[in-house]
Amino acid sequence: MPTYTLAAIPAASHGSLISCSSPGRYRKTRVEAPDLAGIRAAVAEYGTRLHDDYPEASFLVSVTPERGSDHPEGFCEARWKGSLGTEHWIRVIPENTPFRAYLTEVEVMLAHEVRS
């Protein structure tokens, strides 16, 4: 079964512009999913759990297939078009809020251990 790494990456939006931090620094979890529906369910579960722990955090969920792992047909297109539900937890912030300062606050929130 294909294996994926999910990571919560601090992100925020000013309308159509989304800014996020580097994905390499954040807590990750590995999941197995046989198809796109399974990936969407894993993303929803992971994002909801994180949101429940940190309701003020604004983040997207990165989905990365394990190297050499086959992924289901349509995966690349679904990831590109945003239909995996990865951006559900991105908050729109006021235009006068500096991205860097806001994302630093979110980074501090997400640096804590995520409840299993």
Side-chain angles (χ1 to χ4, degrees), residues 35-106:
D35 54 22
L36 293 177
I39 296 168
R40 285 184 191 101
V43 166
E45 181 181 332
Y46 178 75
T48 299
R49 185 182 69 213
L50 194 60
H51 177 72
D52 288 348
D53 287 348
Y54 306 101
E56 296 302 314
S58 178
F59 60 93
L60 61 83
V61 176
S62 167
V63 179
T64 307
E66 188 174 271
R67 182 174 288 156
S69 180
D70 289 333
H71 42 273
E73 186 175 332
F75 171 77
C76 292
E77 183 178 356
R79 186 165 64 166
W80 179 254
K81 289 184 175 181
S83 67
L84 295 176
T86 59
E87 297 179 2
H88 180 76
W89 301 274
I90 294 177
R91 299 175 80 162
V92 176
I93 59 175
E95 276 195 42
N96 61 347
T97 304
F99 271 133
R100 186 176 298 281
Y102 182 78
L103 293 178
T104 298
E105 290 178 25
V106 175

